[in-house]
């Protein structure tokens, strides 16, 4: 059974999102949010602390919606293909939820980073699968930073300057360039690429699923050796 405070919180978030979507400058007024729900401003402040808390909670609600959407994407046996599908789905989420997306990713003074951090964590999960499969060219953290920066930048750019006549040339070219930079193209990879990918594969497996035959200090030492070899 839903708690009354949960119902109130959800109603305030829904009213805030409706106002955000209708806003031309990305601003909302707490008084208008309260009027839409039929409560006073002290009630909103009791639930969220202040306006910044309300916006942070709304961004977190966007993360929950994003995560639920990602959960519906079936993971295949090809993590590189899943990574490409995730890139496209990220852009689709932004196009379908532009106001909420800007709240999640456009800088706001003193804003919480929970929503962005959550999206990064989901991306790292797919990249770790790529590393475990030996197809990641760079470290997981580097790949995550590169892909998120490009994906977010492209999504925000498309909101300001939509591609003419539904053209996807720029988006496709950027995606292909980034994927080539972070993924190993197995048929043409050189020995250096293959060796580096293998070391990343072992490192990810050591950290995510340490072998039972190794003591913790032995696994840590192997991790150090892998770094030196890299």
């Amino acid at each position: 059974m839903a708690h009354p405070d949960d119902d109130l919180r959800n109603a305030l978030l829904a009213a805030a999102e409706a106002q955000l979507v209708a806003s031309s400058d990305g601003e909302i007024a707490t008084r208008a949010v309260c009027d839409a729900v039929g409560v006073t401003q002290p009630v909103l402040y009791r639930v969220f602390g202040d306006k910044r808390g309300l916006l942070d909670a709304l961004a977190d609600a966007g993360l929950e919606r994003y995560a639920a959407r990602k959960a519906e994407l079936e993971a295949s046996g090809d993590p590189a293909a899943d990574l490409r599908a995730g890139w496209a789905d990220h852009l689709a989420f932004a196009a379908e939820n532009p106001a909420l997306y800007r709240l999640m990713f456009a800088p706001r003074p003193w804003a919480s980073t929970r929503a962005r951090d959550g999206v990064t964590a989901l991306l790292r999960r797919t990249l770790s699968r790529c590393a475990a499969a030996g197809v990641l060219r760079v470290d997981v953290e580097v790949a995550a930073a590169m892909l998120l920066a490009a994906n977010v930048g492209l999504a925000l750019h498309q909101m300001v300057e939509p591609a003419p006549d539904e053209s996807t040339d720029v988006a496709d070219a950027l995606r292909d360039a980034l994927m080539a930079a972070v993924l190993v193209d197995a048929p043409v990879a050189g020995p250096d690429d293959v060796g580096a990918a293998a070391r990343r594969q072992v490192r990810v497996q050591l950290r995510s699923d340490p072998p039972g035959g190794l003591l913790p200090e032995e696994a840590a030492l192997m991790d150090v050796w892998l770094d030196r070899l890299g």
Side-chain angles (χ1 to χ4, degrees):
M1 180 180 296
H3 192 280
D5 279 354
D6 292 336
D7 292 338
L8 173 61
R9 187 177 189 277
N10 291 336
L12 288 167
L13 287 173
E17 183 174 359
Q19 190 179 144
L20 186 69
V21 169
S23 172
S24 61
D25 58 3
E27 281 294 321
I28 65 171
T30 55
R31 183 181 297 277
V33 171
C34 292
D35 288 346
V37 179
V39 298
T40 60
Q41 286 185 287
V43 172
L44 183 147
Y45 297 144
R46 175 177 63 81
V47 176
F48 297 106
D50 54 17
K51 179 179 178 179
R52 186 178 74 197
L54 172 63
L55 291 173
D56 284 344
L58 188 54
D60 289 345
L63 169 61
E64 293 176 5
R65 192 178 304 173
Y66 182 92
R69 181 187 183 113
K70 290 295 183 185
E72 293 176 357
L73 292 176
E74 185 175 352
S76 72
D78 184 349
D82 293 343
L83 186 65
R84 293 185 178 91
W87 169 282
D89 189 67
H90 185 108
L91 293 176
F93 176 86
E96 294 166 16
N97 305 274
L100 191 57
Y101 186 89
R102 283 192 292 267
L103 184 65
M104 292 169 66
F105 289 101
R108 286 183 292 119
W110 308 107
S112 164
T113 63
R114 283 192 301 270
R116 186 184 182 97
D117 292 345
V119 171
T120 304
L122 292 173
L123 177 58
R124 284 196 197 105
R125 190 179 307 167
T126 303
L127 288 167
S128 292
R129 290 177 56 226
C130 290
V135 297
L136 195 63
R137 187 185 297 276
V138 297
D139 287 340
V140 168
E141 293 299 323
V142 174
M146 291 171 64
L147 289 169
L148 192 62
N151 224 179
V152 172
L154 177 60
L156 293 174
H157 175 75
Q158 288 180 335
M159 292 177 193
V160 178
E161 295 185 23
D165 301 323
E166 302 300 320
S167 171
T168 62
D169 290 351
V170 173
D172 291 348
L174 182 59
R175 178 202 60 211
D176 292 346
L178 263 293
M179 294 301 168
V182 302
L183 295 175
V184 174
D185 189 0
V188 297
D192 290 342
D193 287 336
V194 173
R199 288 191 292 274
R200 279 187 289 276
Q201 181 178 10
V202 174
R203 186 180 294 114
V204 167
Q205 290 174 339
L206 278 173
R207 294 173 180 174
S208 61
D209 187 21
L214 291 179
L215 295 173
E217 55 269 28
E218 291 173 330
L221 182 58
M222 184 174 288
D223 199 23
V224 171
W225 287 341
L226 289 168
D227 282 337
R228 290 183 181 177
L229 289 171

